[in-house]
Structure formats: C-alpha cells, structure tokens
Amino acid sequence: VAGAGRADRDGNNVDVPGKIDSLRQLSNMLRMRNVGTLRYDKRGTGEAYKLEKPGRMTSFSEHVRDLTSVIIAAAALPRNGRLIVAGMNEGAWIAMAALEDEKVASLVDGFVVIDASGQSPMETLKQSVASLDEELRAKALEAAHNLVQRGVLIDVPAELIDFFAPSRKDWLATWLAFDPVETIARVRIPILFIYGENDLQISREEFSMFVEARPEAAVRVVPEMNYVLKEVKNEDENFAAFTDPSFKVPSLLADLLASFAKVQPAPEGFIPWH
C-alpha cells in the first residue's frame, strides 16, 4: 500500500514533481525472490484517477474501504503460499485500519508496517499549531474537533483556510479521528515492524509507539534506508531520493519481506532496534 497523498501503485505522488518508483522497484526485487506482489493505484492517481471527484480529496475511510476490497480480491486469486499486507508510511495506517476488521484480517497471514508514525494526526495538529497565538490555536483545535465529532467544517481565520479547505473536509474528518496506536493494538495477526535508519520524516520516538503497543512483534532497522524506502548515504542524497528514481531500494528490505512471506529466518545485516 503506497504512502501519503495521491500515490500510485509505483509509490509516486502525483502532487510531487519527479518520481521515486520505490514500490515498482520493490515489486521487481520480490519477483526475483519468487514472491508475487499486487499493487494498486489510489483514487486520483494512475488508472484510478477518475475515481476521485474534482475538487474533493478522498477521505481516509474511503481509502480503507478501497484496500478492504483489494484484500478480498487478492485473497480470491489462485496462489501458493501466504498472503501478506505491507504498507509504507500512511499506507500502513490505511492497512491497519482495514485489518482491524476481523473478517478482513482472517484472509491475511501477516502484516508489515514500514516507516510509519505512531503519533495520531490530532496530536500532530496540536504540535503544529503550538507556536500560533492563543486565539488561532484555539480556533484550529475547535475546527478539528468539530470535524471529528460532527463532520462539520466551521469558519476559520485566513491563516487556517488552506489546511481546513472545503475540498479537504471529508479527508480531514476521518484522518483526524484516526489513532494508529489504538488501531494496531486491535490487529490480531502477526506483525513485522520495519524502520529505515535514515528516515528523517518519522522519528524513532514516533515509530517506537508501535513497538511499545505490540511488544511481541518483530522489529528490524534497515541500514541507510530513508522514508521513501531508498538507500541513501547522507542528507543531500536523502532529499534527492524523493524525486530521483535512480536511487535504489535496499536489497536487505526485499530479502526481509521475502523471508517473512516464506516463513523463513530473517537475513543478517540489520541494525538492532535497541
């Protein structure tokens, strides 16, 4: 499952210049390891671009329903072996929300969370408005709670209009209501947590919230991997990898996913979590 925003099956966000092709690369690498993959375009991208209505951002809950349909379809396909759901960044949030449904989870043998934050969107919003003056901060939180509790978008000052735009109303209402830690605690299938050593977007503290919520799950830190699953050596490469598909997905990530899918021992070479 692709990451945040309007991301297609290859992992590219249509609203960001350039490409990363991280999921395309990973799929090809898994194929070389005799593991098949099923990827899909999220609404508003690729072959699904017409499924997002003009001027309206697809809600978080709609993305969850879409993935539920994908999982059911994947489970019905002829195959040998296990069915694993893997999500990167916000795609992992969508996946855990879908797998919270026990009927959906019963179709799946394992779940992989890659470089996702355990911090809730509401808490992130509170932190982002902490530096605003008291009146603006109070209005932002009032607008957020109205969206979550009543699904209503109230009038906000000009400084907040971009964030609380009418086109984002449905998405914000369901996204702000989501709590990743509470959700992951209710997913009742084997879980593998994967964190990139060079992830500058998700802190270890945010990722550790998942590890603490599911202490029985396996955790692996992939050396030199960043937020978009690319191998980078320094900060300049880290940012360049967001728009340059020539950066490669670490082979160790593909090895780990293949071993998880095949119920084999994990390969060597990871950085200890603790």
Side-chain angles (χ1 to χ4, degrees):
V1 188
R6 295 194 296 167
D8 65 16
R9 70 184 72 184
D10 293 334
N12 300 315
N13 190 319
V14 299
D15 298 314
V16 177
K19 292 185 175 183
I20 55 174
D21 284 342
S22 56
L23 297 186
R24 174 193 285 267
Q25 286 185 23
L26 183 57
S27 177
N28 290 334
M29 295 167 76
L30 288 169
R31 183 181 298 115
M32 297 297 293
R33 291 159 175 79
N34 296 315
V35 175
T37 60
L38 190 155
R39 297 170 289 129
Y40 69 99
D41 298 318
K42 291 164 74 175
R43 290 173 185 255
T45 70
E47 293 181 43
Y49 76 98
K50 290 184 178 180
L51 296 181
E52 184 169 77
K53 297 177 182 178
R56 177 184 173 275
M57 192 172 175
T58 300
S59 72
F60 184 82
S61 59
E62 282 178 302
H63 283 306
V64 174
R65 288 194 293 271
D66 286 343
L67 177 56
T68 296
S69 297
V70 172
I71 292 172
I72 293 171
L77 293 172
R79 71 175 191 277
N80 295 313
R82 310 196 319 149
L83 179 61
I84 305 297
V85 175
M88 60 180 287
N89 323 139
E90 194 173 284
W93 284 9
I94 294 169
M96 65 184 69
L99 294 170
E100 186 180 12
D101 185 324
E102 291 184 3
K103 291 183 178 179
V104 178
S106 68
L107 303 173
V108 176
D109 299 293
F111 176 35
V112 184
V113 175
I114 310 174
D115 283 330
S117 173
Q119 181 169 280
S120 70
M122 187 65 79
E123 184 60 32
T124 300
L125 175 63
K126 289 177 182 178
Q127 292 181 4
S128 67
V129 300
S131 60
L132 300 178
D133 65 63
E134 185 176 348
E135 185 177 351
L136 266 181
R137 185 167 64 250
K139 200 65 178 179
L141 296 179
E142 180 188 359
H145 287 298
N146 266 278
L147 276 171
V148 171
Q149 296 167 6
R150 300 167 49 219
V152 174
L153 185 61
I154 64 172
D155 291 334
V156 295
E159 295 91 335
L160 302 174
I161 284 178
D162 285 346
F163 185 82
F164 291 103
S167 63
R168 291 159 53 91
K169 171 178 169 288
D170 294 338
W171 178 76
L172 279 173
T174 52
W175 180 72
L176 286 168
F178 181 71
D179 189 316
V181 169
E182 289 184 0
T183 304
I184 197 71
R186 292 191 288 265
V187 176
R188 301 266 53 96
I189 57 176
I191 297 175
L192 169 62
F193 293 118
I194 302 176
Y195 183 71
E197 178 192 22
N198 288 344
D199 188 339
L200 299 180
Q201 280 63 43
I202 305 298
S203 69
R204 281 182 63 93
E205 290 73 22
E206 291 169 346
F207 190 80
S208 69
M209 296 171 73
F210 285 132
V211 180
E212 292 167 5
R214 296 298 297 269
E216 82 288 357
V219 189
R220 295 291 184 272
V221 179
V222 179
E224 299 184 336
M225 188 174 81
N226 74 350
Y227 180 72
V228 293
L229 316 187
K230 293 301 184 73
E231 196 168 7
V232 294
K233 307 293 185 183
N234 52 54
E235 189 169 309
D236 289 339
E237 286 190 359
N238 206 322
F239 289 109
F242 277 71
T243 56
D244 184 350
S246 68
F247 287 91
K248 301 302 180 184
V249 170
S251 59
L252 196 56
L253 175 63
D255 290 339
L256 177 60
L257 292 176
S259 67
F260 187 63
K262 298 177 182 181
V263 202
Q264 295 175 344
E268 300 292 331
F270 297 100
I271 298 171
W273 171 249
H274 296 291

